[in-house]
Amino acid sequence: MAQAKLFSPVSIGGLELKNRIVIAPMCQYSAEDGKMTDWHLMHLGMLANSGAGILTIEATAVTPEGRISYGDVGLYSDDCERAMGRVLDGVRRWSDMPIAIQLGHAGRKASSDLPWNGGGQIAPDAEGGWKTEAPSAVAFKTEYDSPTALDRDGLNRIRIAFADAARRAARLDLAAVQIHGAHGYLLHQFLSPLSNQRTDEYGGSLENRMRFPLEVFESVREAFRDSPLTMRVSATDWVPGGWDIEQTIAFAQALEKRGCDAMHVSSGGLAVNQQIAIGPNYQVPFARQVKAAVNIPVIAVGLITEFEQAEAIIGTGDADLVAIARAILYDPRWPWHAAAHFGDTVSAADQYLRCQPRQFRNLFA
Ligand SMILES: Cc1cc2nc3c(=O)[nH]c(=O)nc-3n(C[C@H](O)[C@H](O)[C@H](O)COP(=O)(O)O)c2cc1C
């Protein structure tokens, strides 16, 4: 019997998770032409043996221009789908952890170099770069090439690309899709008045700024009918006059009405002058406010690193699940160690059962 709330089961849109630990999406910048490689097989294989409730595949671009960098994973072609299928086959052979995917488009933050090369923008005419697209021709940084403002055809093309990628995700039997509406990428660029300066029905009022993200959501919902669909948001731009928690709540309620199965609450990433009050739990108050306004599960994320900290977030009702990123790269057995700490259980691969330390004799379910 589970003792800790962290290890109690939870359901997201009918998908039953064994515990409330979510592995957050983490870009690996190790794809080739959008295609997953052996790195992904190793990386996802490692995380799929961590005992978490669900594993989220990194931000996966719905068009080649939607990739943050030339090393991003994509799901916009048969080749991409095949490469991902190969990785998933390998991982699933050895783990039954549900695997979700984050689908996104980087908008004006696309055409970037790999983080370990500095992460700056690659000019459209330089090797590995391309012209970016966004709601308005406003660059992320003043020294960056300005994006092309999307016209009606461009919006339609991207909306359809999201739906096509979701159909591929369904074919790959992925357990859930998360739409990336956070961190200053394309959909967040539409939401925030700082990056969206349009004067048509996709800019101006909150209703207009939400229009394209909601149209994308509806098209993906239609394409991915049978499994959970969630949204990741930035709750605030951390800039006065930017996107904020009140607008996030309105967005969450509009999504819930359209069949969203969970909200994943992050923050920031849109503006270079953001002033983030960073520290343990720094985004949890936003999750709590969203949770108070909707009736779907809410996931908290951001500097959640300690077992008791994670338990308290669930136990006090701040959020229904916690997502972990850096801490689980650092310690891929974080959920095992959390279970051992609470006297709880996790599932482990048969090959690893003999590692169970004497003092945690009942760790493996
Ligand atoms: C290596 C790395 C890659 C990331 N890639 C993504 C991504 O693909 N999509 C996304 O929404 N967030 C991404 N993030 C942000 C994380 O999902 C998470 O929100 C953030 O790191 C805060 O959580 P943490 O304190 O547990 O690391 C990434 C973070 C890291 C460290």
Side-chain angles (χ1 to χ4, degrees), residues 66 100 324 330:
I324 316 275
Y330 185 70

Side-chain angles (χ1 to χ4, degrees), residues 50-70:
S50 68
I54 187 165
L55 164 61
T56 319
I57 294 175
E58 65 192 83
T60 298
V62 300
T63 69
E65 302 74 32
R67 292 173 299 164
I68 301 166
S69 77
Y70 56 83

Side-chain angles (χ1 to χ4, degrees), residues 101-181:
I101 188 168
Q102 185 186 53
L103 295 180
H105 188 299
R108 67 179 187 173
K109 285 174 79 175
S111 187
S112 296
D113 210 333
L114 312 185
W116 49 87
N117 293 337
Q121 190 187 49
I122 302 182
D125 49 1
E127 170 134 16
W130 57 88
K131 185 80 188 169
T132 62
E133 307 176 297
S136 306
V138 182
F140 176 54
K141 294 186 181 172
T142 40
E143 66 271 26
Y144 281 12
D145 178 59
S146 284
T148 304
L150 285 157
D151 60 14
R152 188 62 67 117
D153 286 348
L155 292 182
N156 221 19
R157 170 171 49 79
I158 291 176
R159 184 182 54 74
I160 290 168
F162 266 97
D164 287 345
R167 264 185 283 276
R168 292 185 188 277
R171 270 207 298 270
L172 289 166
D173 210 17
L174 285 158
V177 164
Q178 176 183 87
I179 300 178
H180 199 346

Side-chain angles (χ1 to χ4, degrees), residues 231-272:
M231 176 72 78
R232 194 172 217 206
V233 286
S234 279
T236 174
D237 288 340
W238 299 102
V239 177
W243 179 253
D244 57 20
I245 182 64
E246 286 74 28
Q247 297 174 81
T248 300
I249 286 170
F251 186 47
Q253 289 171 331
L255 288 164
E256 183 180 16
K257 254 192 228 148
R258 289 163 175 79
C260 184
D261 292 301
M263 291 295 296
H264 189 138
V265 183
S266 186
S267 76
L270 185 106
V272 282

